Amino acid sequence: QVQLVESGGGSVQAGGSLTLSCVVSGSTSPTRFMGWFRQGPGEGREWVGGILPLSGSTLYAASVEGRFTISRDNANNLMLLQMTSLKLEDTALYYCAAGGLVVADWRTYDYWGQGTQVTVSS
């Protein structure tokens, strides 16, 4: 059984940085995407970025391109989301997900974490 647990959320000032971690237990296919999504207050679930474990290739939403970086620590079964130059609009509940068929479509992911809150203040 696959389980994902996020951590690392918190409060940060605009312009600051934060790194989220997602610990993955259980086996997931290296040919399925792992991704990060977020959901702000009163908003729908938004794709942030994803990684294909087989190749290590990453893709990002335009809103975070150049500011966020996704990486994998295979030895520790971790997926990281490094966030820099944070903006007020980055405030959201951040989820990691695994088993995705389409990198940016949350409906195609099989496994989800419980989410970790990121709050950016001015």
Side-chain angles (χ1 to χ4, degrees):
Q1 185 174 356
V2 177
Q3 290 187 320
L4 287 73
V5 179
E6 305 97 334
S7 63
S11 297
V12 63
Q13 287 192 320
S17 300
L18 209 58
T19 296
L20 306 184
S21 298
C22 176
V23 177
V24 183
S25 60
S27 180
T28 59
S29 171
T31 61
R32 296 282 187 99
F33 290 100
M34 297 189 67
W36 287 95
F37 292 80
R38 66 187 182 185
Q39 189 163 10
E43 299 179 0
R45 198 167 305 188
E46 177 190 10
W47 175 64
V48 174
I51 185 168
L52 187 63
L54 182 66
S55 64
S57 298
T58 54
L59 293 165
Y60 300 95
S63 59
V64 306
E65 180 83 53
R67 300 188 299 121
F68 289 12
T69 303
I70 294 173
S71 61
R72 284 261 294 173
D73 179 350
N74 292 324
N76 294 298
N77 293 322
L78 280 177
M79 179 175 63
L80 302 175
L81 178 65
Q82 296 173 281
M83 305 183 293
T84 64
S85 302
L86 283 162
K87 304 176 180 180
L88 297 179
E89 53 264 41
D90 293 320
T91 294
L93 187 61
Y94 282 72
Y95 299 91
C96 66
L101 284 174
V102 179
V103 65
D105 189 346
W106 65 269
R107 298 168 297 179
T108 71
Y109 282 76
D110 293 326
Y111 309 104
W112 291 85
Q114 81 290 346
T116 185
Q117 179 68 38
V118 172
T119 302
V120 184
S121 60
S122 58

